[in-house]
């Protein structure tokens, strides 16, 4: 897979676990992140210790890992959520300025996950909050979340019975696909 970083005229290979410094001086950080939705349609945001921006749970893709495996590892480390790659539904691949690292961008593989898990902050996570993504969020939010993930959520369809927004019709779970 390759990416075209913002403001760079060359395409660089996306290699899990390796930051790539571009000719423009930007460092690309390869990550996996989750849009985690609860049964009420709220979305989980996390804040790392010593930072001010809220964002999706997730983190760097280590060498030899694929994005889904990396995300499963990060979710367990950061919020105590144990899932398998089969539980994740691909949402998209996005590029955005890094929230906490100047002169860095994130190359993010984003997945959707619905859960009833009560997240517990661990590792570098200092705070977790559930927010209504359809309402204005009065907190500092990372560019990836603000510019890509929440708008993507807002563009998705609604469940016919409840009228509540959901990825269910677009990204059926393994159980809904008859695999569980």
């Amino acid at each position: 897979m390759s990416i075209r970083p913002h403001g760079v005229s060359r395409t660089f290979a996306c290699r899990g676990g390796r930051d790539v410094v571009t000719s423009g001086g930007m460092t690309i950080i390869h990550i996996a992140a989750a849009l985690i939705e609860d049964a009420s349609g709220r979305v989980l945001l996390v804040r790392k210790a010593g930072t001010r921006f809220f964002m999706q749970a997730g983190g760097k893709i280590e060498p030899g890992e694929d994005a889904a495996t990396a995300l499963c590892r990060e979710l367990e480390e950061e919020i105590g959520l144990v899932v398998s790659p089969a539980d994740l539904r691909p949402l998209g691949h996005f590029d955005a300025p890094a929230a906490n690292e100047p002169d860095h961008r994130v190359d993010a593989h984003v997945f959707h996950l619905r859960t009833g898990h009560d997240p517990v902050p661990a590792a570098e996570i200092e705070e977790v909050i559930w927010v209504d993504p359809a309402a204005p969020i009065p907190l500092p939010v990372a560019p990836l979340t603000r510019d890509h993930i929440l708008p993507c959520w807002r563009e998705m369809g609604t469940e016919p019975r409840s009228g509540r927004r959901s990825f269910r019709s677009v990204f059926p779970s393994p159980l809904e696909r008859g695999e569980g």
Side-chain angles (χ1 to χ4, degrees), residues 40-43 130-137 150 153-154 165:
S40 300
R42 297 178 305 168
V43 169
W130 290 101
V131 299
D132 176 356
I137 299 173
L150 292 179
W153 184 92
R154 290 176 182 128
R165 290 181 177 274

mmCIF file of all heavy atoms in Angstrom, residues 40-43 130-137 150 153-154 165:
data_model
loop_
_atom_site.group_PDB
_atom_site.id
_atom_site.type_symbol
_atom_site.label_atom_id
_atom_site.label_comp_id
_atom_site.label_asym_id
_atom_site.label_seq_id
_atom_site.Cartn_x
_atom_site.Cartn_y
_atom_site.Cartn_z
ATOM 1 N N SER A 40 -25.992 2.833 22.836
ATOM 2 C CA SER A 40 -26.761 4.079 22.726
ATOM 3 C C SER A 40 -26.323 4.939 21.558
ATOM 4 O O SER A 40 -26.858 6.018 21.340
ATOM 5 C CB SER A 40 -26.612 4.893 24.014
ATOM 6 O OG SER A 40 -27.083 4.170 25.110
ATOM 7 N N GLY A 41 -25.291 4.505 20.833
ATOM 8 C CA GLY A 41 -24.784 5.280 19.709
ATOM 9 C C GLY A 41 -23.735 6.298 20.092
ATOM 10 O O GLY A 41 -23.277 7.069 19.254
ATOM 11 N N ARG A 42 -23.323 6.289 21.371
ATOM 12 C CA ARG A 42 -22.249 7.196 21.787
ATOM 13 C C ARG A 42 -20.913 6.644 21.292
ATOM 14 O O ARG A 42 -20.769 5.446 21.067
ATOM 15 C CB ARG A 42 -22.203 7.335 23.309
ATOM 16 C CG ARG A 42 -23.439 7.952 23.906
ATOM 17 C CD ARG A 42 -23.354 8.028 25.408
ATOM 18 N NE ARG A 42 -23.095 6.705 25.968
ATOM 19 C CZ ARG A 42 -22.745 6.487 27.227
ATOM 20 N NH1 ARG A 42 -22.590 7.491 28.071
ATOM 21 N NH2 ARG A 42 -22.524 5.263 27.661
ATOM 22 N N VAL A 43 -19.956 7.540 21.137
ATOM 23 C CA VAL A 43 -18.630 7.186 20.632
ATOM 24 C C VAL A 43 -17.610 7.441 21.726
ATOM 25 O O VAL A 43 -17.660 8.455 22.426
ATOM 26 C CB VAL A 43 -18.312 8.015 19.361
ATOM 27 C CG1 VAL A 43 -16.868 7.892 18.958
ATOM 28 C CG2 VAL A 43 -19.228 7.590 18.224
ATOM 29 N N TRP A 130 -17.436 9.032 26.834
ATOM 30 C CA TRP A 130 -18.406 8.696 25.797
ATOM 31 C C TRP A 130 -19.060 9.997 25.373
ATOM 32 O O TRP A 130 -19.471 10.794 26.226
ATOM 33 C CB TRP A 130 -19.464 7.736 26.328
ATOM 34 C CG TRP A 130 -18.951 6.357 26.602
ATOM 35 C CD1 TRP A 130 -18.617 5.845 27.814
ATOM 36 C CD2 TRP A 130 -18.731 5.318 25.645
ATOM 37 N NE1 TRP A 130 -18.198 4.542 27.668
ATOM 38 C CE2 TRP A 130 -18.260 4.191 26.354
ATOM 39 C CE3 TRP A 130 -18.886 5.230 24.264
ATOM 40 C CZ2 TRP A 130 -17.944 2.994 25.722
ATOM 41 C CZ3 TRP A 130 -18.572 4.033 23.636
ATOM 42 C CH2 TRP A 130 -18.109 2.925 24.357
ATOM 43 N N VAL A 131 -19.156 10.239 24.067
ATOM 44 C CA VAL A 131 -19.768 11.465 23.556
ATOM 45 C C VAL A 131 -20.838 11.129 22.530
ATOM 46 O O VAL A 131 -20.798 10.068 21.905
ATOM 47 C CB VAL A 131 -18.723 12.411 22.911
ATOM 48 C CG1 VAL A 131 -17.674 12.842 23.931
ATOM 49 C CG2 VAL A 131 -18.067 11.770 21.704
ATOM 50 N N ASP A 132 -21.779 12.050 22.378
ATOM 51 C CA ASP A 132 -22.782 11.944 21.327
ATOM 52 C C ASP A 132 -22.166 12.560 20.077
ATOM 53 O O ASP A 132 -22.000 13.777 20.005
ATOM 54 C CB ASP A 132 -24.043 12.698 21.728
ATOM 55 C CG ASP A 132 -25.102 12.713 20.630
ATOM 56 O OD1 ASP A 132 -24.847 12.205 19.510
ATOM 57 O OD2 ASP A 132 -26.190 13.249 20.896
ATOM 58 N N PRO A 133 -21.807 11.758 19.086
ATOM 59 C CA PRO A 133 -21.121 12.296 17.911
ATOM 60 C C PRO A 133 -22.002 13.162 17.013
ATOM 61 O O PRO A 133 -21.488 13.880 16.162
ATOM 62 C CB PRO A 133 -20.637 11.055 17.172
ATOM 63 C CG PRO A 133 -21.594 9.996 17.574
ATOM 64 C CD PRO A 133 -21.997 10.312 18.986
ATOM 65 N N ALA A 134 -23.310 13.127 17.221
ATOM 66 C CA ALA A 134 -24.200 13.966 16.423
ATOM 67 C C ALA A 134 -24.267 15.387 16.988
ATOM 68 O O ALA A 134 -24.703 16.298 16.304
ATOM 69 C CB ALA A 134 -25.597 13.354 16.385
ATOM 70 N N ALA A 135 -23.817 15.567 18.233
ATOM 71 C CA ALA A 135 -23.854 16.873 18.890
ATOM 72 C C ALA A 135 -22.472 17.517 18.840
ATOM 73 O O ALA A 135 -21.465 16.819 18.702
ATOM 74 C CB ALA A 135 -24.295 16.700 20.342
ATOM 75 N N PRO A 136 -22.416 18.840 18.975
ATOM 76 C CA PRO A 136 -21.100 19.490 19.055
ATOM 77 C C PRO A 136 -20.331 18.950 20.273
ATOM 78 O O PRO A 136 -20.920 18.726 21.324
ATOM 79 C CB PRO A 136 -21.440 20.972 19.237
ATOM 80 C CG PRO A 136 -22.842 21.111 18.751
ATOM 81 C CD PRO A 136 -23.514 19.796 19.013
ATOM 82 N N ILE A 137 -19.044 18.735 20.100
ATOM 83 C CA ILE A 137 -18.209 18.213 21.186
ATOM 84 C C ILE A 137 -17.373 19.374 21.720
ATOM 85 O O ILE A 137 -16.494 19.867 21.014
ATOM 86 C CB ILE A 137 -17.329 17.050 20.695
ATOM 87 C CG1 ILE A 137 -18.227 15.925 20.195
ATOM 88 C CG2 ILE A 137 -16.391 16.572 21.804
ATOM 89 C CD1 ILE A 137 -17.507 14.788 19.527
ATOM 90 N N LEU A 150 -15.437 11.553 12.723
ATOM 91 C CA LEU A 150 -16.789 12.001 13.076
ATOM 92 C C LEU A 150 -17.612 12.381 11.839
ATOM 93 O O LEU A 150 -18.787 12.003 11.754
ATOM 94 C CB LEU A 150 -16.740 13.138 14.093
ATOM 95 C CG LEU A 150 -16.233 12.717 15.478
ATOM 96 C CD1 LEU A 150 -16.186 13.925 16.405
ATOM 97 C CD2 LEU A 150 -17.058 11.592 16.069
ATOM 98 N N TRP A 153 -18.857 9.166 10.409
ATOM 99 C CA TRP A 153 -19.956 8.636 11.228
ATOM 100 C C TRP A 153 -21.252 9.369 10.908
ATOM 101 O O TRP A 153 -22.306 8.759 10.753
ATOM 102 C CB TRP A 153 -19.623 8.776 12.713
ATOM 103 C CG TRP A 153 -20.652 8.166 13.601
ATOM 104 C CD1 TRP A 153 -20.663 6.901 14.099
ATOM 105 C CD2 TRP A 153 -21.856 8.785 14.080
ATOM 106 N NE1 TRP A 153 -21.786 6.696 14.857
ATOM 107 C CE2 TRP A 153 -22.532 7.841 14.859
ATOM 108 C CE3 TRP A 153 -22.421 10.044 13.927
ATOM 109 C CZ2 TRP A 153 -23.739 8.104 15.482
ATOM 110 C CZ3 TRP A 153 -23.634 10.313 14.548
ATOM 111 C CH2 TRP A 153 -24.274 9.353 15.312
ATOM 112 N N ARG A 154 -21.177 10.688 10.804
ATOM 113 C CA ARG A 154 -22.373 11.501 10.571
ATOM 114 C C ARG A 154 -22.983 11.249 9.193
ATOM 115 O O ARG A 154 -24.176 11.479 8.990
ATOM 116 C CB ARG A 154 -22.035 12.979 10.744
ATOM 117 C CG ARG A 154 -21.754 13.333 12.194
ATOM 118 C CD ARG A 154 -21.328 14.781 12.352
ATOM 119 N NE ARG A 154 -21.032 15.058 13.755
ATOM 120 C CZ ARG A 154 -19.905 15.605 14.178
ATOM 121 N NH1 ARG A 154 -18.967 15.971 13.311
ATOM 122 N NH2 ARG A 154 -19.710 15.806 15.464
ATOM 123 N N ARG A 165 -28.401 6.619 14.305
ATOM 124 C CA ARG A 165 -27.305 6.367 13.369
ATOM 125 C C ARG A 165 -26.555 5.107 13.800
ATOM 126 O O ARG A 165 -26.356 4.866 14.965
ATOM 127 C CB ARG A 165 -26.326 7.534 13.359
ATOM 128 C CG ARG A 165 -26.888 8.763 12.729
ATOM 129 C CD ARG A 165 -25.823 9.843 12.747
ATOM 130 N NE ARG A 165 -26.271 11.019 12.087
ATOM 131 C CZ ARG A 165 -26.171 11.229 10.783
ATOM 132 N NH1 ARG A 165 -25.629 10.347 10.001
ATOM 133 N NH2 ARG A 165 -26.602 12.342 10.250
#
